[in-house]
Amino acid sequence: MTEEVFVVSAAMIPFGKHRTSSYVGLAVAPLVDALRGAGIEKSDVDAVYVGHSFGGMMTGQRICKEIGLGTVPTVNVDNACSSGATAIHEAWTAISQGLVDVAVVVGVEKLTQFGGGTLPLSPEDREVKQGIVMPAVYAMRATRYLHETEATVEDLALVSVKARKHGALNPFAQFRSEVTVDEVLGARTISDPLTLMMCCPTGDGAAVVVLASERARNRLNAPKGMRVAASILHSGEVKEGYRDMTMPEISQHSARDAYEMAGVGPKDLDMIELHDAFSIAELVYYEAFGLAERGHAVDLLRDGKTAFGGDVVVNPSGGLLSKGHPVGASGVAQVAEAFWQLTDNAGARQVDDARWAMTHVTGGGTAGLDHGACTIHIFEGV
């Protein structure tokens, strides 16, 4: 890898239930906004990568043709919840290897097409056949974590309280109202001990980022943006039998490799956008990322060290719990948030003096794997 890669623009639409919109309808507006934000023309784009899981064939081509963007390679990427972030990794790879100079990445998903409930999973998966869908997996993870540590169900609620407080400041968030611990605990149970407010909502959305080489950034006079210091994509280790549910090894190993590539450590980070699909996930990821010792994630949470004004602000956007989780769009939206934070354009939710940011998203689960994929990026403001 020889070329430096920069994110020079970002755009998205508010996440929510856009029942009357198509995949194309969701993505076109942020695509146009991102190109304008980068100050580039369609003719400057060398490649397009589109992350989605349920959009069907040629989703990217259907989106791009609406603005007359054709001829360039358009690649559709399905990696479950990690689809959008994987698309960014593919764009970064192409630019860093000198294959293209400017790449546009679109993340888009319309989950209201399923009418609610858990997302459809492969009927070939033996665990899915037994009812082990995602809420059940994370409920088991939460139960084990509460058993092994001093964490309480109130701590699980506190994660959601923090997420909603951050999301209340984000005009793109699906939920923009603060909640209390009692309200979280009093919500209906989804999978004990997880209540409704401890689970991310389903919804629709789209986000777009533009990546460019340093050469292209100078030639096109594009904004400075942020430098991609690390881009890591792993798939889960195949392992049958016992697995420690309180330590997601794929995220632990991906973070380790990202730190090494970027030349930084967890204490250098100013903000993190992580995959908090369920409240327990945030606690175990604190430990997987090296922010806290095993069993002590709640200390960071209770002391406010991961909220605004803390040591490292986790999910300033509100995270998946508040901002929402339209699967293919989530990873790109995380990078958009990092872009706005590191360019001092995050408005009321701006993290003070933000220079280093990390984004993290895992994708899918299937019997024998911790997760199907994990994508982690580290960015430096420039």
Side-chain angles (χ1 to χ4, degrees), residues 274-294:
L274 59 74
H275 191 110
D276 60 328
F278 302 89
S279 57
I280 181 58
E282 182 160 326
L283 295 178
V284 298
Y285 289 139
Y286 287 178
E287 298 172 14
F289 298 161
L291 301 176
E293 297 293 328
R294 291 292 300 272

Side-chain angles (χ1 to χ4, degrees), residues 70-191:
T71 73
V72 301
T74 300
V75 180
N76 292 281
V77 179
D78 169 17
N79 229 356
C81 302
S82 196
S83 297
T86 301
I88 290 174
H89 175 76
E90 292 300 304
W92 169 83
T93 300
I95 296 173
S96 64
Q97 291 181 343
L99 302 178
V100 303
D101 271 339
V102 177
V104 173
V105 180
V106 179
V108 59
E109 207 74 80
K110 181 177 172 65
L111 297 183
T112 54
Q113 66 181 296
F114 299 116
T118 59
L119 296 180
L121 299 174
S122 172
E124 299 174 358
D125 191 316
R126 65 180 184 273
E127 292 184 352
V128 171
K129 288 181 178 180
Q130 300 300 317
I132 305 180
V133 292
M134 285 300 170
V137 170
Y138 281 88
M140 289 190 289
R141 181 168 283 174
T143 299
R144 189 66 195 179
Y145 190 84
L146 297 183
H147 173 74
E148 292 187 358
T149 72
E150 295 183 359
T152 66
V153 68
E154 286 78 14
D155 293 311
L156 300 180
L158 193 57
V159 173
S160 299
V161 170
K162 178 179 72 68
R164 289 293 194 96
K165 186 173 183 179
H166 290 183
L169 301 174
N170 185 359
F172 299 105
Q174 184 165 343
F175 292 142
R176 297 196 59 202
S177 59
E178 296 189 29
V179 295
T180 66
V181 168
D182 288 341
E183 287 174 323
V184 176
L185 295 177
R188 65 183 174 92
T189 299
I190 298 300
S191 186

Side-chain angles (χ1 to χ4, degrees), residues 26-50:
L26 293 168
V28 165
L31 173 57
V32 172
D33 288 345
L35 291 174
R36 287 175 177 169
I40 62 176
E41 302 294 332
K42 291 177 290 185
S43 58
D44 298 317
V45 177
D46 298 314
V48 179
Y49 299 85
V50 182

Side-chain angles (χ1 to χ4, degrees), residues 19-375:
R19 299 184 189 278
T20 61
S21 292
S22 64
Y23 274 74
V24 173
L26 293 168
V28 165
L31 173 57
V32 172
D33 288 345
L35 291 174
R36 287 175 177 169
I40 62 176
E41 302 294 332
K42 291 177 290 185
S43 58
D44 298 317
V45 177
D46 298 314
V48 179
Y49 299 85
V50 182
H52 66 92
S53 286
F54 303 105
M57 291 188 293
M58 296 195 307
T59 296
Q61 287 85 344
R62 301 200 313 268
I63 293 167
C64 290
K65 81 176 182 64
E66 290 298 315
I67 68 167
L69 178 55
T71 73
V72 301
T74 300
V75 180
N76 292 281
V77 179
D78 169 17
N79 229 356
C81 302
S82 196
S83 297
T86 301
I88 290 174
H89 175 76
E90 292 300 304
W92 169 83
T93 300
I95 296 173
S96 64
Q97 291 181 343
L99 302 178
V100 303
D101 271 339
V102 177
V104 173
V105 180
V106 179
V108 59
E109 207 74 80
K110 181 177 172 65
L111 297 183
T112 54
Q113 66 181 296
F114 299 116
T118 59
L119 296 180
L121 299 174
S122 172
E124 299 174 358
D125 191 316
R126 65 180 184 273
E127 292 184 352
V128 171
K129 288 181 178 180
Q130 300 300 317
I132 305 180
V133 292
M134 285 300 170
V137 170
Y138 281 88
M140 289 190 289
R141 181 168 283 174
T143 299
R144 189 66 195 179
Y145 190 84
L146 297 183
H147 173 74
E148 292 187 358
T149 72
E150 295 183 359
T152 66
V153 68
E154 286 78 14
D155 293 311
L156 300 180
L158 193 57
V159 173
S160 299
V161 170
K162 178 179 72 68
R164 289 293 194 96
K165 186 173 183 179
H166 290 183
L169 301 174
N170 185 359
F172 299 105
Q174 184 165 343
F175 292 142
R176 297 196 59 202
S177 59
E178 296 189 29
V179 295
T180 66
V181 168
D182 288 341
E183 287 174 323
V184 176
L185 295 177
R188 65 183 174 92
T189 299
I190 298 300
S191 186
D192 188 51
L194 302 177
T195 69
L196 180 65
M197 291 187 186
M198 298 177 191
C199 308
C200 67
T202 58
D204 316 315
V208 180
V209 294
V210 178
L211 281 70
S213 66
E214 185 168 19
R215 177 176 57 255
R217 190 183 64 161
N218 293 334
R219 172 171 55 86
L220 300 171
N221 198 29
K224 286 187 175 181
M226 62 183 184
R227 180 178 69 90
V228 183
S231 182
I232 297 294
L233 170 63
H234 287 322
S235 291
E237 178 184 358
V238 180
K239 184 169 63 174
E240 300 292 344
Y242 172 78
R243 203 183 274 272
D244 183 354
M245 297 190 75
T246 69
M247 178 48 67
E249 69 266 14
I250 187 173
S251 293
Q252 182 186 40
H253 298 162
S254 297
R256 175 200 63 202
D257 292 347
Y259 293 146
E260 181 178 355
M261 179 180 289
V264 298
K267 292 184 178 179
D268 296 305
L269 300 174
D270 300 299
M271 61 150 288
I272 300 173
E273 284 283 312
L274 59 74
H275 191 110
D276 60 328
F278 302 89
S279 57
I280 181 58
E282 182 160 326
L283 295 178
V284 298
Y285 289 139
Y286 287 178
E287 298 172 14
F289 298 161
L291 301 176
E293 297 293 328
R294 291 292 300 272
H296 291 279
V298 291
D299 296 338
L300 294 181
L301 181 70
R302 293 170 182 172
D303 294 342
K305 292 184 178 180
T306 56
F308 287 114
D311 295 341
V312 53
V313 183
V314 174
N315 291 337
S317 71
L320 278 55
L321 288 169
S322 183
K323 183 176 60 182
H325 186 26
V327 172
S330 292
V332 182
Q334 290 179 333
V335 175
E337 180 68 19
F339 175 81
W340 290 321
Q341 291 289 349
L342 297 191
T343 58
D344 199 27
N345 283 295
R349 65 189 187 282
Q350 180 65 53
V351 176
D352 293 338
D353 302 320
R355 182 188 174 196
W356 289 97
M358 185 168 85
T359 62
H360 156 268
V361 59
T362 60
T366 189
L369 296 178
D370 172 25
H371 277 105
C374 178
T375 315

